[in-house]
Amino acid sequence: MSMWEYESEAHGGRRDPGVSSVDFENNDSLKTDVFERRDQSWYVSSDIPSNLLVKVGCVSFHLHKYPLLSRSGRMNRIIQESSRETEPSMVELDDIPGGPEAFQLAAKFCYGIAVDLSASNISGLRCAAEYLEMTEDLEEGNLIFKTEAFLSYVVLSSWRDSIVVLKSCESLSPWAENLQIVRRCSESIAWKACANPRGIRWAYTGRPAKASSSPRWNGSDSKDSNSPSRSQPVPPDWWFEDVSILRIDHFVRVVTAIKVKGMRFDLIGAAIMHYASKWLPGMAKEPSVPASEESWSGGTQLGSSTGLHLIIASKEDLSSSQIREQRMVIESLISIIPPHKDSVSCSFLLRLLRLANMLKVAPALVTELEKRVGMQLEQATLPDLLIPSFQKMDTMYDVDLVQRLLEHFLVQEQIESSSPGREPCLEKHGIYEANPRNASGPTAKNRVARLLDSYLTEVSRDRNLSLTKFQVLAEALPEAARTCDDGLYRAVDSYLKAHPMLTEHERKRLCRVMDCQKLSVDACMHAAQNERLPLRVVVQVLFSEQVKISNAIANSSLKETVESHFQSMVSTRRQLLEGTPQSFQEGWAAAKKDINTLKFELESMKAKYLELQNDMDNLRRQMEKAPSSKPSKQSSSPWTTGWKRLSKLTKMSTEAHEVGSRMPGGAPGGESDKKAQRRWRNSIS
């Protein structure tokens, strides 16, 4: 028995006697436990003939008035209105939620027949009970109470039942929304999805190697089902496959509830990518085409001549309903992608952008998607960037779209450079690893420049691509973004080969987009033999290569001279140190220490000398301003103070001279000099 049906068999299944099986006292006058079906009609096995015909769609139910009247408020009103008729009444209930299946279960409940509640029928039966107004006012323990209790205590506590009930609500709008069934199931799924994987004790589908159309929750197929009882740990993405079976509006409700619970943005982005791969056929990852080799063999065209061709579904192959459905899926997914930079991959965003342009998604959402691509354009690959032109344009690929992506990228780069306090996300997650712009290696602009050169090489083969568009796209990035212009030269040469009718002026204008000084030796050799290039460009290439060769020769000779001189100095010093006795080396170390001490003391004396000289200048200025009257005896004479300072200055100058005479390089003195030096040191200390 499939677990999707959740024990829907009437007999032999496990039941909760208080909830999953609904019973009540049978009416004495109508004693039956069997509903019989004949073609498109249901009959009640009873001795009393039916007096009520209920039509639900194309199915007819031959029933009795009293059981329905006693438990359904709506049927009570309808029967009372038709009680004056002599013939059996007929009621049409085409708008009942759940259809004939739900009404059949509700009719069985009214007749007292045991009804097995399951995750697959509870939502339709709950909505039908609300439609029939089977409230507690008519009888205690009516169908609304029973179904509500089953939802609250059985369904919402189970992961698989919550998924099944939410899936069954797709055909019950707006009843399921008004009765809060969708909201409660979404909240239940969100809480369980955010739980710690180590604490999971319920069965889940997981992500199989080959994606299936629906989760396999069959107990008899235990070999293929994932269970937390196994030895391997539960992966963080265990809930992706189960949630991906939901319709887009219910998936959005679940993801929104998961965001509120605080789940990691990379997991949410991975779940969105998994959902898109199942519901959007064009989102399947296409096989990567190897990039064209950088071949500089004489005079041939650079790169592959076959080009890269994308395999996408044509819009004409889809019906109008499929187009509307896929457009709604794309618009909903764009609106719930987390705002963080690396929540989804750039390749996914570009494939989503390609489908959005093909299906004519709302322009505001397309612009938002283009900005998201520009935030992480350095992660893009050439096959994803080759987006066909779905508008009425002459070019094969949408070059204007790539131009807008580059503009968004440069704006984002400028924002990040103007806010140095912002640090890129360096966290590594189990689902997706952030790729920071400031990582070691080439910068984001360098990677985008290489990508743009490859893109230009590919689109240049389009004969309808104008020279102006090619030039504007080639000059979109600043010059500092390219350290080498080999890729740009390859694109220029490819454009010249695909457009042989260009004039000399147009060819010169085209070649201005590249810098000849940034070409490698191989590129220069190829350009020197390229007949498609203007003669002036060839001369510039040869001249720049000659200058680089001359500089390289000069630098290499200078480097060899410096290295040889340095090596000789090092070897000579090493030989001197190895041949010097140990005692002499120790004496030399002590002498170096004394020399450093003397240098420090000399600097101190110089500082004091400058200080005294400053005092002398101040004294001279004071004397020039002093009055001619004699100074009093009580006050000290300025001349006295000045002569004291001058004598101090003379003494310090003499000592400084003595220190300078004892510095290295001066004449060695006798024992008297050594004694004077010792006395001078004692005075200083």
Side-chain angles (χ1 to χ4, degrees):
M1 180 177 55
S2 175
M3 300 179 85
W4 274 94
E5 299 172 359
Y6 193 68
E7 306 159 355
S8 61
E9 293 183 358
H11 303 285
R14 177 178 59 84
R15 301 177 188 166
D16 185 346
V19 180
S20 63
S21 180
V22 180
D23 298 290
F24 71 97
E25 304 84 12
N26 293 334
N27 201 331
D28 293 337
S29 59
L30 292 174
K31 205 169 184 179
T32 181
D33 57 353
V34 176
F35 264 45
E36 296 178 353
R37 181 165 184 171
R38 303 170 190 169
D39 295 333
Q40 294 295 324
S41 301
W42 284 90
Y43 296 88
V44 179
S45 298
S46 175
D47 297 335
I48 303 176
S50 63
N51 56 2
L52 179 64
L53 176 62
V54 180
K55 283 191 175 183
V56 181
C58 59
V59 180
S60 301
F61 294 87
H62 299 269
L63 307 174
H64 301 84
K65 293 182 179 180
Y66 180 75
L68 300 180
L69 182 146
S70 61
R71 291 184 179 272
S72 171
R74 178 183 286 265
M75 295 301 296
N76 194 346
R77 292 196 308 271
I78 295 175
I79 292 173
Q80 291 295 336
E81 292 174 359
S82 60
S83 60
R84 296 181 180 179
E85 298 180 4
T86 57
E87 298 180 358
S89 302
M90 186 186 71
V91 179
E92 293 184 358
L93 301 177
D94 294 332
D95 57 345
I96 183 173
E101 295 80 7
F103 181 78
Q104 178 196 356
L105 295 176
K108 284 184 177 182
F109 178 83
C110 293
Y111 277 90
I113 302 174
V115 177
D116 282 339
L117 302 182
S118 66
S120 58
N121 63 22
I122 186 61
S123 57
L125 188 56
R126 173 66 182 90
C127 296
E130 190 72 22
Y131 175 86
L132 296 173
E133 301 175 9
M134 303 176 72
T135 62
E136 295 295 293
D137 296 337
L138 298 176
E139 185 172 342
E140 186 177 356
N142 211 341
L143 188 56
I144 290 180
F145 173 79
K146 297 286 187 180
T147 53
E148 191 65 31
F150 186 84
L151 275 172
S152 301
Y153 296 105
V154 177
V155 172
L156 299 182
S157 62
S158 171
W159 166 261
R160 61 186 183 185
D161 291 348
S162 300
I163 295 287
V164 173
V165 170
L166 189 56
K167 180 69 177 176
S168 65
C169 290
E170 296 176 358
S171 59
L172 298 174
S173 298
W175 289 90
E177 286 283 353
N178 297 335
L179 296 175
Q180 304 296 319
I181 300 176
V182 174
R183 182 190 63 80
R184 288 183 288 174
C185 289
S186 301
E187 291 287 337
S188 174
I189 295 170
W191 276 114
K192 293 176 177 60
C194 295
N196 190 343
R198 297 179 181 178
I200 292 178
R201 296 293 180 267
W202 52 81
Y204 60 92
T205 304
R207 301 180 69 175
K210 295 182 179 180
S212 57
S213 59
S214 62
R216 290 177 292 182
W217 281 338
N218 196 326
S220 61
D221 194 12
S222 59
K223 293 183 180 180
D224 297 329
S225 61
N226 292 321
S227 175
S229 62
R230 295 195 176 188
S231 58
Q232 65 269 22
V234 178
D237 59 345
W238 63 270
W239 52 276
F240 287 6
E241 186 68 23
D242 293 339
V243 174
S244 64
I245 69 170
L246 300 175
R247 199 173 62 185
I248 182 60
D249 53 341
H250 294 163
F251 178 77
V252 170
R253 294 286 293 270
V254 171
V255 171
T256 304
I258 288 176
K259 283 183 180 180
V260 175
K261 302 295 183 297
M263 176 166 284
R264 287 171 12 204
F265 66 86
D266 62 314
L267 279 175
I268 297 176
I272 293 174
M273 290 190 290
H274 181 75
Y275 185 89
S277 65
K278 293 193 65 174
W279 288 84
L280 299 174
M283 293 299 295
K285 183 67 177 177
E286 297 166 1
S288 59
V289 182
S292 58
E293 298 294 333
E294 298 182 5
S295 174
W296 304 104
S297 56
T300 59
Q301 184 188 5
L302 308 177
S304 172
S305 61
T306 57
L308 300 176
H309 301 283
L310 295 177
I311 303 173
I312 64 169
S314 176
K315 188 176 178 181
E316 287 74 14
D317 298 338
L318 302 175
S319 62
S320 58
S321 61
Q322 290 176 329
I323 291 176
R324 286 194 302 269
E325 180 182 354
Q326 292 197 11
R327 185 187 297 125
M328 183 177 63
V329 170
I330 293 174
E331 292 177 350
S332 301
L333 292 180
I334 294 174
S335 63
I336 63 174
I337 294 177
H340 307 80
K341 175 188 170 184
D342 292 320
S343 57
V344 293
S345 65
C346 186
S347 178
F348 168 78
L349 292 174
L350 284 169
R351 295 197 301 272
L352 194 64
L353 181 59
R354 182 185 63 193
L355 285 179
N357 288 334
M358 183 180 71
L359 299 177
K360 298 186 182 301
V361 173
L365 292 175
V366 173
T367 303
E368 180 65 24
L369 193 56
E370 291 176 357
K371 291 180 180 179
R372 293 298 305 270
V373 174
M375 289 175 59
Q376 47 196 105
L377 186 59
E378 70 275 10
Q379 303 171 9
T381 59
L382 180 59
D384 294 327
L385 203 61
L386 290 172
I387 300 177
S389 178
F390 298 104
Q391 307 295 332
K392 293 183 179 180
M393 301 173 64
D394 296 334
T395 57
M396 181 185 303
Y397 298 106
D398 197 343
V399 181
D400 296 335
L401 172 61
V402 177
Q403 175 70 25
R404 294 194 299 270
L405 296 180
L406 288 173
E407 293 175 358
H408 293 311
F409 169 76
L410 294 176
V411 170
Q412 183 66 23
E413 282 286 314
Q414 185 177 3
I415 293 175
E416 291 188 358
S417 61
S418 61
S419 56
R422 292 180 54 187
E423 297 182 356
C425 177
L426 298 178
E427 298 180 8
K428 293 182 179 180
H429 305 294
I431 299 300
Y432 186 79
E433 180 177 347
N435 187 12
R437 290 176 183 262
N438 298 329
S440 60
T443 62
K445 288 183 180 179
N446 297 144
R447 292 192 291 268
V448 172
R450 288 200 297 266
L451 176 65
L452 179 59
D453 293 344
S454 301
Y455 180 80
L456 287 171
T457 303
E458 190 63 34
V459 300
S460 63
R461 299 163 187 160
D462 185 2
R463 296 182 181 274
N464 294 325
L465 179 64
S466 64
L467 176 61
T468 302
K469 283 191 175 183
F470 182 91
Q471 186 177 7
V472 169
L473 196 59
E475 297 175 348
L477 293 176
E479 295 182 0
R482 292 183 177 91
T483 57
C484 179
D485 277 9
D486 286 5
L488 196 55
Y489 168 67
R490 188 181 302 108
V492 169
D493 185 62
S494 177
Y495 189 88
L496 288 173
K497 187 173 183 179
H499 301 78
M501 303 305 294
L502 292 178
T503 63
E504 184 71 14
H505 174 72
E506 290 175 337
R507 287 190 294 158
K508 290 181 180 179
R509 175 184 163 192
L510 175 64
C511 293
R512 291 195 192 104
V513 301
M514 63 179 180
D515 187 359
C516 298
Q517 297 181 359
K518 291 184 179 181
L519 296 179
S520 65
V521 178
D522 295 336
C524 290
M525 292 177 61
H526 184 275
Q529 305 173 11
N530 194 344
E531 298 178 354
R532 291 182 289 272
L533 295 178
L535 181 59
R536 183 175 181 180
V537 176
V538 175
V539 172
Q540 290 178 355
V541 170
L542 294 175
F543 178 76
S544 62
E545 186 61 23
Q546 181 67 27
V547 171
K548 285 189 287 186
I549 293 175
S550 302
N551 294 336
I553 294 174
N555 293 334
S556 61
S557 60
L558 179 61
K559 184 177 180 182
E560 290 176 358
T561 303
V562 172
E563 287 182 353
S564 61
H565 181 64
F566 178 75
Q567 292 294 335
S568 62
M569 289 177 59
V570 170
S571 60
T572 303
R573 184 173 183 181
R574 185 181 296 109
Q575 292 175 1
L576 288 174
L577 289 176
E578 291 176 354
T580 304
Q582 185 68 22
S583 59
F584 185 83
Q585 294 183 12
E586 294 176 356
W588 174 247
K592 285 180 65 178
K593 185 176 181 180
D594 291 339
I595 290 173
N596 292 333
T597 304
L598 291 175
K599 285 183 179 180
F600 175 77
E601 293 175 350
L602 182 59
E603 293 296 328
S604 301
M605 293 300 299
K606 287 181 179 180
K608 292 181 180 180
Y609 178 82
L610 293 176
E611 182 181 356
L612 291 175
Q613 189 175 7
N614 188 24
D615 294 339
M616 187 65 182
D617 294 337
N618 293 336
L619 179 61
R620 185 182 294 108
R621 286 194 295 269
Q622 291 178 5
M623 292 303 299
E624 290 176 357
K625 295 180 181 180
S628 59
S629 59
K630 296 181 179 180
S632 59
K633 295 181 179 180
Q634 289 78 8
S635 60
S636 61
S637 173
W639 285 104
T640 305
T641 306
W643 283 115
K644 288 181 180 180
R645 293 186 177 181
L646 286 176
S647 61
K648 185 177 179 181
L649 175 62
T650 304
K651 182 178 179 181
M652 298 299 292
S653 301
T654 305
E655 292 176 354
H657 178 70
E658 292 175 357
V659 172
S661 64
R662 290 193 295 271
M663 289 293 292
E671 290 186 26
S672 59
D673 293 336
K674 294 180 180 179
K675 293 180 181 180
Q677 179 182 357
R678 190 179 298 111
R679 287 197 302 270
W680 176 78
R681 285 185 180 177
N682 293 336
S683 64
I684 291 298
S685 62

